[in-house]
């Protein structure tokens, strides 16, 4: 009794450690708890700080002087009639501050696009993992049902084999089927553990997530909103990664404009007061200083900025081509998978289950041989798992399209 009680406690704890969640509930937890999103959000905050910093001017500089030594009176620090002060301010010329601020604001837009792309990537990873886990659980349930029946059958055959009523060859044949089913179960269970771990990291939920997905068949039957050309157009309009590289062209141009403005000399404007050493007593002077533009001091950075513009343009062209081809490939993959699954009707699945139940009944009655039965069971096992994989494949392709187009593309 103690062993059974302990087993019950273990099973109960495993059950309570699971949390049934819909996809929308998982996404809500993901948006609230995902640490990668939080890290990326800080980049936007840093960009805000850069804008603030770009708006700040250089501090005014104040200076003063006093007499250190009076050679006439031979007196050190004779400050009674020998002191002065001045204050200067750097005045930016050529629109430097305006260009610097515009460049900082452009960097913030890039940070936002990077955040949007990360959000799309992680959401796709969440959905993909959820679909994987959902279908792996269905595969596990199906395998467990087969395994339960085959284990009972194998136990019965072992008893009969020991009595000499059936051949050892028949027992070994059943044992091979059980081993194959156990191998399937082990592989599926391993996949489930991996996907559960992935969802925990994405959602911040420490319990194992058990998917509740009542709309799976409706989504499988859904058609994308638009054909291949329309999807490519939508992707170019909405894909944050591609928009990032388009924005990078503008960002490079703003940087180049800023670097050019740095070649314009700045003014130093100030005022000074002199007590006794100037032309007049207690004179107040206006001071203006400017570097002599004998050469362009920022010529190298301007040239480098020009190369950055051309580099950004080339990168955007590449991203455009890459995005269009990926949308095309994923759409065609989805279409092939959809058409393949569409060939399997609900009537076909019902017929398969009907034949499966018929084979079980006929084998129990002795109407079919063990070889016929195990051959059918092996074929049924493979077919069932393949159908689950086909359905999962369609969901994964549809989710990849969502990731690339980044807008609603399914009805």
């Amino acid at each position: 009794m103690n062993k059974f009680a302990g087993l019950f406690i273990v099973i109960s704890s495993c059950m309570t450690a699971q949390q049934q969640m819909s996809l929308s509930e998982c996404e809500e937890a993901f948006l609230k708890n995902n640490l990668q999103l939080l890290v990326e959000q800080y980049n936007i905050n840093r960009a805000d700080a850069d804008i603030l910093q770009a708006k700040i001017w250089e501090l005014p500089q104040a200076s003063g002087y006093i007499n250190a030594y009076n050679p006439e009176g031979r007196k050190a620090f004779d400050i009674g009639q020998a002191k002065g002060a001045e204050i200067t301010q750097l005045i930016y010329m050529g629109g430097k501050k305006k260009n610097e601020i515009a460049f900082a604001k452009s960097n913030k837009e890039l940070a936002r696009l990077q955040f949007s792309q990360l959000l799309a990537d992680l959401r796709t990873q969440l959905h993909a993992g959820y679909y994987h886990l959902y279908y792996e659980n269905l595969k596990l349930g199906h395998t467990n049902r087969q395994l339960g029946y085959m284990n009972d059958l194998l136990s019965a055959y072992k008893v009969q084999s020991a009595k000499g009523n059936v051949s050892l060859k028949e027992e070994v044949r059943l044992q091979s089927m059980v081993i194959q089913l156990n191998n399937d179960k082990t592989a599926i269970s391993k996949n489930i553990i991996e996907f559960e771990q992935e969802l925990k990291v994405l959602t911040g939920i420490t319990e194992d997530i058990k998917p509740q997905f009542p709309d799976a068949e409706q989504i499988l039957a859904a058609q994308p909103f638009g054909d291949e050309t329309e999807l490519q157009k939508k992707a170019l309009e909405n894909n944050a990664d591609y928009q990032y590289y388009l924005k990078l062209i503008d960002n490079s141009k703003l940087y180049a404009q800023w670097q050019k403005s740095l070649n314009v000399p700045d003014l130093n404007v100030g005022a000074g007061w002199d007590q006794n050493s100037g032309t007049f007593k207690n004179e107040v002077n206006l001071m203006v200083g400017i570097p002599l533009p004998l050469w362009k001091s920022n010529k190298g950075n301007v040239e480098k900025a020009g190369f950055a513009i051309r580099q950004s343009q080339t990168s955007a062209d590449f991203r455009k081509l890459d995005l269009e081809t990926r949308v095309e490939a994923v759409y065609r993959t989805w279409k092939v998978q959809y058409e393949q699954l569409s060939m399997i009707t609900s009537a076909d699945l019902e017929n398969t289950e009907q034949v499966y139940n018929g084979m079980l009944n006929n084998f129990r009655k002795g109407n079919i041989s063990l070889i016929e039965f195990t051959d059918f069971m092996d074929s049924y096992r493979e077919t069932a798992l393949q159908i689950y994989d086909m359905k999962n494949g369609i969901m994964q392709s549809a989710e990849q399209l969502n990731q690339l187009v980044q807008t609603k593309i399914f009805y």
Side-chain angles (χ1 to χ4, degrees), residues 119-179:
L119 178 61
D121 291 342
L122 291 179
R123 180 181 281 119
T124 298
Q125 189 178 343
L126 174 72
H127 288 194
Y130 189 89
Y131 300 150
H132 280 309
L133 184 57
Y134 174 73
Y135 284 107
E136 290 298 315
N137 275 321
L138 290 181
K139 288 165 66 175
L140 181 62
H142 182 273
T143 301
N144 279 334
R145 286 191 295 273
Q146 273 196 288
L147 191 57
Y149 178 77
M150 295 303 294
N151 274 325
D152 291 343
L153 186 61
L154 178 60
S155 297
Y157 261 73
K158 284 183 177 181
V159 173
Q160 295 301 317
S161 176
K163 295 178 179 180
N165 295 331
V166 296
S167 67
L168 181 61
K169 182 174 68 173
E170 292 178 323
E171 178 188 337
V172 171
R173 189 173 183 87
L174 283 176
Q175 183 72 59
S176 298
M177 277 289 299
V178 170
I179 291 174

Side-chain angles (χ1 to χ4, degrees), residues 1-15:
M1 288 296 293
N2 290 335
K3 290 183 179 180
F4 285 110
L7 180 61
F8 177 77
I9 293 173
V10 171
I11 294 175
S12 299
S13 63
C14 291
M15 291 177 64

Side-chain angles (χ1 to χ4, degrees), residues 205-243:
I205 295 174
T206 57
E207 298 176 341
D208 292 337
I209 294 173
K210 184 175 182 181
Q212 283 188 318
F213 201 29
D215 300 328
E217 295 302 320
Q218 294 179 6
I219 297 177
L220 281 172
Q223 295 282 340
F225 185 70
D227 57 14
E228 182 180 322
T229 303
E230 182 68 19
L231 292 176
Q232 288 176 328
K233 180 182 177 182
K234 287 181 178 293
L236 295 176
E237 293 173 352
N238 298 287
N239 185 274
D241 185 57
Y242 176 63
Q243 292 298 318

Side-chain angles (χ1 to χ4, degrees), residues 136 181-193:
E136 290 298 315
L181 286 169
N182 275 314
N183 285 338
D184 290 344
K185 181 178 180 178
T186 300
I188 294 169
S189 298
K190 180 181 177 182
N191 290 337
I192 288 175
I193 292 172

